[in-house]
Amino acid sequence: AKILGVREVYLIERKWPVVYVDLSPQQRYEAVKDSAAVLNPETAKGQIYGGVMQGIGQALSEKIEYNPETGTMKTTHLRKYNIPRFSAMPEYECIFIENSQPNGPFGARPIAEHPVIGPPPAILNALEDATGESLTSLPATSKRVKQILERRQD
C-alpha cells in the first residue's frame, strides 16, 4: 500500500453539558462546538442536533435486549426500540467557535460524530446528583428513576 500523504487532523470537542432534573416539561440543550470553519451552518446544526438526539436517546430510552442463552437479539424491530421523537427533544441552541483548521479541507474539521458523546454522562451525573444514587447502565428510563426515588422515600 502506498501512502499518498499524511495530515494531522485535530478532533476537539469541548462539552460542558449542564443537566437539571426538573419535572416541568420545559427543557433546553446548548451545544458549544469548536468546529473550525463552518461551511454550511444549517447542515452543521442539523448534524449536531442529530448527534444530541442520539445521545439523549441512549441515555433515556434506547435499549437493545439479547437472549442470554443464545446471544441472539430480542429487539428485532423499532416498535420495541424507543428512538426519541423530535417532539420529545429539548429546546436547542448550537454555538460554533470557528477557529481555522489549517490541515482540514477549507479550514474545516469533522463535527458529526462528537455530539452523541456528551448527553449520556451529563444526564446520568445529573440524575445521580438529584437522587443520590449512581446509575451505571443505560438507559436511565423514567421507570428506573421512579424506583430510585421510591427507595429513597422508604
Side-chain angles (χ1 to χ4, degrees):
K2 183 177 179 184
I3 298 176
L4 299 176
V6 177
R7 277 193 305 208
E8 289 183 16
V9 176
Y10 300 96
L11 302 178
I12 299 173
E13 181 70 10
R14 300 275 190 242
K15 291 198 182 309
W16 295 276
V18 177
V19 177
Y20 299 95
V21 177
D22 189 357
L23 299 178
S24 71
Q26 184 177 7
Q27 304 169 7
R28 181 170 175 79
Y29 191 97
E30 293 180 0
V32 178
K33 174 76 174 136
D34 180 1
S35 57
V38 177
L39 303 180
N40 185 327
E42 290 307 309
T43 300
K45 287 178 186 176
Q47 289 289 316
I48 301 294
Y49 191 61
V52 167
M53 281 185 67
Q54 287 178 330
I56 291 172
Q58 288 174 4
L60 298 176
S61 63
E62 297 177 22
K63 184 176 183 179
I64 297 176
E65 295 185 22
Y66 294 91
N67 181 323
E69 295 174 11
T70 64
T72 57
M73 194 177 344
K74 291 168 53 176
T75 311
T76 56
H77 48 77
L78 295 177
R79 280 180 280 174
K80 292 185 178 179
Y81 189 75
N82 295 325
I83 297 172
R85 299 174 188 261
F86 279 106
S87 60
M89 289 296 102
E91 180 184 328
Y92 173 77
E93 182 178 0
C94 184
I95 301 164
F96 293 106
I97 300 172
E98 295 192 53
N99 297 309
S100 182
Q101 170 65 39
N103 298 324
F106 306 105
R109 169 181 302 137
I111 62 164
E113 300 85 2
H114 309 114
V116 74
I117 298 168
I123 291 168
L124 291 185
N125 286 333
L127 288 170
E128 181 178 354
D129 286 346
T131 65
E133 187 170 323
S134 179
L135 288 144
T136 57
S137 64
L138 297 173
T141 61
S142 57
K143 180 179 177 181
R144 287 181 64 203
V145 173
K146 183 179 177 186
Q147 289 170 344
I148 291 170
L149 294 173
E150 287 171 350
R151 278 197 305 269
R152 287 193 68 199
Q153 289 178 352
D154 293 339

